[in-house]
Amino acid sequence: MPADRPPTRIQKKNRAAILEAALNVFSAQGFRGATVDQIASEAGLSKPNLLYYFPSKEAMHNALLERLLDTWLDPLRELDADGEPLEELLGYVQRKLQMSRDYPRESRLFANEIVQGAPRIHAALSNELKALVDEKVSVLQDWMDQGRIAPVHPYHLIFSIWSLTQHYADFDVQVRAVLGEEDPFATAPGFMETLYRRLLTP
Amino acid sequence: MPADRPPTRIQKKNRAAILEAALNVFSAQGFRGATVDQIASEAGLSKPNLLYYFPSKEAMHNALLERLLDTWLDPLRELDADGEPLEELLGYVQRKLQMSRDYPRESRLFANEIVQGAPRIHAALSNELKALVDEKVSVLQDWMDQGRIAPVHPYHLIFSIWSLTQHYADFDVQVRAVLGEEDPFATAPGFMETLYRRLLTP
DNA sequence: CGTGACTTTGACCAGTTGGTCAAATCAGGA
DNA sequence: TCCTGATTTGACCAACTGGTCAAAGTCACG
């Protein structure tokens, strides 16, 4: 563990390689299923060397989760209260869907954590996450009150967007087993657009 | 391991207790996260005693998954080609939602397995599951062709039902963290009905 | 109540895993 | 080049975990 002066070139490179490898392994095996040795070999480093950069396996996991929550909520943050309601929501849906396509490992890391009761990020859910959702829900509520989108339970509306979009990353195996050759991400955007347009058009 | 004559009273009781305990532990911790000792103590038996009834930890897990897939698909099997299309679909949605409320452990067991790539039930997904879905999709397609429900991508329609309903079991912690006091299952059925009614009414 | 099959368990074992440590090696500024 | 701090690693541990086994206890039925 080097002193807390600015990180060297080597530190940056190795820390990044470790997190990249850890993301692969944790997202595929879950926290307990992952072993430090696996991560080390995936990162091309020795196990003691990993533990030189991160004090423990849990620290790697935490570093990933911390970085993740922010990225994960970005699409929702972009929802603009001053935009055209339906287009804003459809935009949010498509951004979220793209994240499932482009960052499936992150989605699964998150899913693993939540399914098992979110032991490590429970606080963040009740604080940051809840605060952001509450804020955006009040925007949705205003739009509904003004008759600019159809009235529906705003929290369930957001849950539905989360679950529908993340399903394609988290349950990827199942989706592909059922669909066969067809690429889910070719047809999903159209389906989503239809669904939310019909649901929300006043 | 007793002979293969009919199971005794004790065998029945203990096997059931073990599976019940295993469901608790596996659904909360995942396969690798669960330990045989945990399951044993939860079942009120000793570890060697568990391994007298099941040859290995994996055998317990398999026994659960096997029993699960059938139960899990029952609501979809009930979808009746001769019924009134919209009502049939809404009925399916509500049955699936009830399963999430009444059997959250089973839902999470399944989720854990799929998120990690379904290593143990991949075959069942491509066979039984795909066959059933294909069959029901052709029913949906007929309904759409006849103009009895609005045309949408039928596979995505089914995925959407799965993801929306299971979300309330699998991501329960997150849902409750955001909702606070409100019981999700009080308001979800209404939301779902609205959603699918608007999506599917021709 | 005796007997053979069924059940239970304490003690144990080998493999795995997270983590440590001292010694060796390397990088780069003076 | 030399020196100091940064980096790397082989060898090790202790704890945990899945699984074994022989011996002891219990059950049901003739």
Side-chain angles (χ1 to χ4, degrees):
Chain A
M1 33 184 122
D4 53 355
R5 62 194 74 181
T8 69
R9 171 181 59 85
I10 296 180
Q11 276 171 41
K12 273 189 205 166
K13 192 191 64 174
N14 283 349
R15 262 192 237 272
I18 292 169
L19 288 180
E20 171 72 12
L23 179 56
N24 279 336
V25 178
F26 282 134
S27 69
Q29 324 259 57
F31 180 76
R32 297 242 2 213
T35 74
V36 179
D37 270 318
Q38 257 175 89
I39 301 175
S41 103
E42 185 112 349
L45 298 171
S46 68
K47 179 167 68 162
N49 206 2
L50 287 218
L51 295 168
Y52 168 75
Y53 286 103
F54 292 87
S56 69
K57 175 183 171 184
E58 181 143 9
M60 301 173 208
H61 197 247
N62 284 344
L64 284 174
L65 284 179
E66 218 159 288
R67 209 180 49 175
L68 175 58
L69 196 64
D70 252 13
T71 335
W72 219 234
L73 293 180
D74 269 344
L76 182 53
R77 285 204 194 88
E78 286 179 43
L79 191 94
D80 179 6
D82 299 326
E84 207 290 303
L86 191 53
E87 295 312 313
E88 283 297 321
L89 269 161
L90 292 176
Y92 174 47
V93 170
Q94 300 301 336
R95 285 195 297 278
K96 204 80 181 46
L97 190 57
Q98 265 171 40
M99 293 204 63
S100 276
R101 182 182 52 192
D102 298 339
Y103 304 102
R105 296 176 305 171
E106 281 82 350
S107 187
R108 280 194 278 265
L109 179 73
F110 195 72
N112 265 306
E113 176 69 9
I114 304 280
V115 171
Q116 302 192 3
R120 291 162 242 280
I121 56 166
H122 200 278
L125 297 184
S126 306
N127 300 331
E128 296 168 55
L129 176 66
K130 179 165 172 39
L132 177 62
V133 173
D134 283 348
E135 177 202 327
K136 295 305 182 180
V137 157
S138 94
V139 171
L140 296 180
Q141 193 62 62
D142 285 348
W143 288 344
M144 292 174 196
D145 292 344
Q146 297 160 13
R148 304 176 70 192
I149 53 175
V152 296
H153 194 298
Y155 286 98
H156 287 293
L157 173 58
I158 288 181
F159 295 152
S160 76
I161 297 173
W162 289 349
S163 75
L164 282 172
T165 53
Q166 289 172 196
H167 189 77
Y168 292 99
D170 303 343
F171 286 67
D172 179 75
V173 217
Q174 190 183 22
V175 168
R176 290 184 195 275
V178 169
L179 271 189
E181 291 300 298
E182 185 183 330
D183 174 19
F185 287 104
T187 38
F191 176 79
M192 301 285 217
E193 164 141 13
T194 305
L195 190 155
Y196 284 105
R197 220 175 255 291
R198 295 220 182 120
L199 174 64
L200 295 172
T201 299
Chain B
M1 35 186 123
D4 52 354
R5 61 194 72 183
T8 69
R9 170 181 59 87
I10 296 181
Q11 276 170 40
K12 271 188 206 166
K13 193 191 62 173
N14 283 348
R15 262 192 238 272
I18 291 169
L19 287 179
E20 172 71 13
L23 179 56
N24 279 336
V25 178
F26 282 134
S27 69
Q29 323 258 57
F31 180 75
R32 297 243 0 215
T35 74
V36 179
D37 270 316
Q38 258 175 91
I39 301 175
S41 105
E42 183 112 7
L45 298 171
S46 68
K47 180 168 68 165
N49 206 3
L50 287 218
L51 295 168
Y52 168 73
Y53 287 104
F54 291 88
S56 69
K57 175 182 169 184
E58 181 142 9
M60 301 174 207
H61 196 247
N62 285 342
L64 284 175
L65 284 179
E66 220 159 285
R67 209 180 51 175
L68 175 58
L69 197 62
D70 253 12
T71 335
W72 218 235
L73 292 180
D74 269 343
L76 182 53
R77 285 203 194 86
E78 287 179 41
L79 190 93
D80 179 6
D82 299 326
E84 207 288 303
L86 190 53
E87 295 312 313
E88 283 297 323
L89 269 161
L90 292 177
Y92 174 47
V93 170
Q94 299 300 336
R95 287 196 296 280
K96 203 79 184 44
L97 190 56
Q98 266 172 40
M99 294 205 63
S100 275
R101 182 182 53 194
D102 298 340
Y103 305 101
R105 295 175 306 171
E106 281 82 349
S107 187
R108 280 193 279 265
L109 179 71
F110 195 71
N112 264 306
E113 175 70 10
I114 303 281
V115 171
Q116 299 190 4
R120 291 163 243 278
I121 55 167
H122 200 277
L125 297 184
S126 307
N127 302 331
E128 296 168 55
L129 176 66
K130 179 167 173 39
L132 177 63
V133 172
D134 284 347
E135 177 203 328
K136 295 304 183 181
V137 156
S138 94
V139 172
L140 297 181
Q141 193 61 62
D142 286 348
W143 288 344
M144 292 176 195
D145 291 345
Q146 298 160 14
R148 303 174 72 192
I149 53 174
V152 295
H153 193 298
Y155 287 98
H156 286 294
L157 173 58
I158 288 182
F159 295 151
S160 77
I161 297 174
W162 289 350
S163 76
L164 282 172
T165 53
Q166 290 173 196
H167 189 76
Y168 292 99
D170 303 343
F171 286 67
D172 179 75
V173 219
Q174 190 185 345
V175 168
R176 290 185 196 275
V178 168
L179 271 188
E181 292 299 298
E182 185 183 330
D183 173 20
F185 289 103
T187 38
F191 176 78
M192 301 284 221
E193 163 140 15
T194 305
L195 190 155
Y196 284 105
R197 221 175 254 291
R198 295 217 183 124
L199 175 63
L200 295 173
T201 298

